[in-house]
Amino acid sequence: MNLSNGKTLAASGQNRNGTSGSWEDAGRVVKPSTPTRKPQPPKPENAVTIAVSSRVLFNMEPEQQYLKYQVEHENEPFSPGPAFSFVKALEAVNTRLRELYPQSEELFDVVLVTNNHAHVGLRLINTINHHHLFIERFCMTGGNSPIGYLKAYHTNLYLSADSAKVREALEEGIAAATMFTQEKMKEVSESQLRVAFDGDGVLFSDESERIFKAHGLDKFFEHEKAHENKPLDHGPLKGFLEALGKLQRKFFDKGLRMDCPIRTYLVTARSAASSGAPKGPMLEKIRPHIFFDDQMFHVEGAAELGTVACHVPYGIAQKVAKK
């Protein structure tokens, strides 16, 4: 298969303990040899769809460009990347949802997105099987923009190591964040999904952030006081939070408010320092699977203490950072 002609490849399949999957290119199909077994994935319009780049789900950067190496090591799995524990937690929530609502399609649905060669796709499928991940949707873009696919899948969140693609997704109204490979990652819960968000520029508009950057902390407090009864406009990840809330309510409806396997946190700070107080120590206590912030100061600080932190390149914070 030759990707140099700019073709977009798509793939679909099922896996875990007897999985089938395929990467398709102009009618030619390459398949692993294991039989199909798992139920069909939910329809995209019913699911909470998480699109994850192969480079953040697995650690594959050191060798991903060497096709010959990938073919020779086809049966050697990639090691887990920064998004791995997050995806495993999504699966744990799905298990609980299926127990409570056997016929419901309101589940997390993970789509693996990659621009690698199809032969690398075989290694990815083998890796998914090795780690017992339940991922049935694969999208190989051949280096093209993933936006069309993200829209077709009604994507609620896109995670990628490619900041340019993340910015493109945000510009198209798709919740997205840049994820980084980091040396230290704290152990996190295997049974409860924990997601932490910054406020301004992530869940909410950066209106308050603009006041703070332009006029300082005193004017910021004056503005907040004057507008305390007016809700902030939505930010780029508000829709994703709402999708999480929709699934949380399914547990609440069964009387499981205290035993809900989805927890969300708002972690925000404001001080006289231009970037605010450090959030890393608080996140170290919460131990979320993933944390979103629009300022690299907080992303880097969280990562240093072992939290998987993602950058949301949105709003005034990005303009200030470029100066």
Side-chain angles (χ1 to χ4, degrees):
M1 301 181 186
N2 185 359
L3 302 186
S4 61
N5 57 6
K7 287 184 180 178
T8 297
L9 285 75
S12 62
Q14 298 178 328
N15 58 64
R16 182 191 282 180
N17 299 334
T19 299
S20 74
S22 64
W23 301 89
E24 302 180 10
D25 177 18
R28 180 184 174 189
V29 179
V30 180
K31 295 184 178 181
S33 59
T34 47
T36 213
R37 181 174 175 273
K38 279 290 177 179
Q40 291 296 314
K43 295 181 179 66
E45 59 268 26
N46 298 330
V48 176
T49 301
I50 313 296
V52 183
S53 158
S54 58
R55 287 172 55 200
V56 298
L57 184 57
F58 304 118
N59 286 324
M60 52 188 303
E61 285 186 307
E63 59 209 25
Q64 66 177 359
Q65 59 183 322
Y66 303 110
L67 176 58
K68 185 177 180 219
Y69 180 95
Q70 301 296 346
V71 173
E72 291 174 349
H73 295 77
E74 186 177 285
N75 295 317
E76 295 179 17
F78 293 112
S79 62
F84 186 86
S85 293
F86 174 60
V87 170
K88 291 292 284 186
L90 300 179
E91 293 188 353
V93 174
N94 277 354
T95 297
R96 294 281 303 276
L97 284 169
R98 288 190 178 99
E99 291 170 354
L100 296 172
Y101 303 92
Q103 304 304 316
S104 176
E105 287 193 331
E106 291 182 293
L107 303 162
F108 289 112
D109 187 24
V110 178
V111 178
L112 182 64
V113 181
T114 181
N115 61 3
N116 283 291
H117 192 282
H119 285 296
V120 182
L122 286 176
R123 190 177 179 195
L124 284 170
I125 291 176
N126 289 334
T127 300
I128 287 169
N129 289 334
H130 172 82
H131 291 294
H132 304 291
L133 294 174
F134 185 37
I135 298 176
E136 300 113 329
R137 303 190 196 273
F138 312 99
C139 178
M140 179 170 276
T141 66
N144 295 328
S145 170
I147 297 301
Y149 292 100
L150 298 178
K151 288 182 176 180
Y153 282 124
H154 301 267
T155 299
N156 297 94
L157 176 67
Y158 172 50
L159 300 174
S160 174
D162 189 328
S163 60
K165 289 179 180 176
V166 166
R167 289 179 185 276
E168 184 182 4
L170 288 171
E171 290 170 0
E172 293 292 329
I174 299 167
T178 308
M179 185 172 267
F180 308 92
T181 300
Q182 56 193 71
E183 294 183 5
K184 181 167 68 171
M185 289 186 283
K186 289 282 187 182
E187 288 187 10
V188 290
S189 173
E190 295 182 358
S191 59
Q192 185 182 75
L193 171 67
R194 299 177 185 177
V195 183
F197 301 89
D198 176 38
D200 297 338
V202 176
L203 292 182
F204 316 121
S205 77
D206 64 343
E207 171 189 344
S208 296
E209 186 72 20
R210 279 185 239 142
I211 298 293
F212 176 61
K213 296 290 187 185
H215 305 290
L217 194 61
D218 290 340
K219 288 293 184 182
F220 163 78
F221 285 130
E222 287 179 19
H223 177 268
E224 295 297 287
K225 181 65 177 177
H227 297 83
E228 62 183 2
N229 294 317
K230 178 185 176 183
L232 289 165
D233 289 336
H234 72 274
L237 265 63
K238 184 185 177 185
F240 174 54
L241 176 62
E242 291 173 341
L244 292 177
K246 183 179 178 182
L247 293 186
Q248 279 180 313
R249 287 191 293 274
K250 294 178 73 68
F251 291 98
F252 298 167
D253 291 344
K254 295 290 187 178
L256 298 174
R257 181 176 292 271
M258 299 303 294
D259 190 31
C260 180
I262 303 174
R263 287 284 187 269
T264 57
Y265 304 83
L266 174 62
V267 181
T268 186
R270 189 76 63 182
S271 74
S274 62
S275 296
K279 301 176 184 178
M282 178 61 71
L283 292 166
E284 190 177 19
K285 300 296 184 184
I286 295 171
R287 295 207 175 187
H289 293 84
I290 194 167
F291 167 61
F292 300 95
D293 203 293
D294 65 320
Q295 298 188 55
M296 284 301 299
F297 168 82
H298 293 303
V299 171
E300 292 168 354
E304 286 176 3
L305 294 180
T307 295
V308 174
C310 301
H311 183 229
V312 181
Y314 173 85
I316 188 66
Q318 316 316 308
K319 295 177 182 177
V320 171
K322 290 178 181 178
K323 290 183 179 180

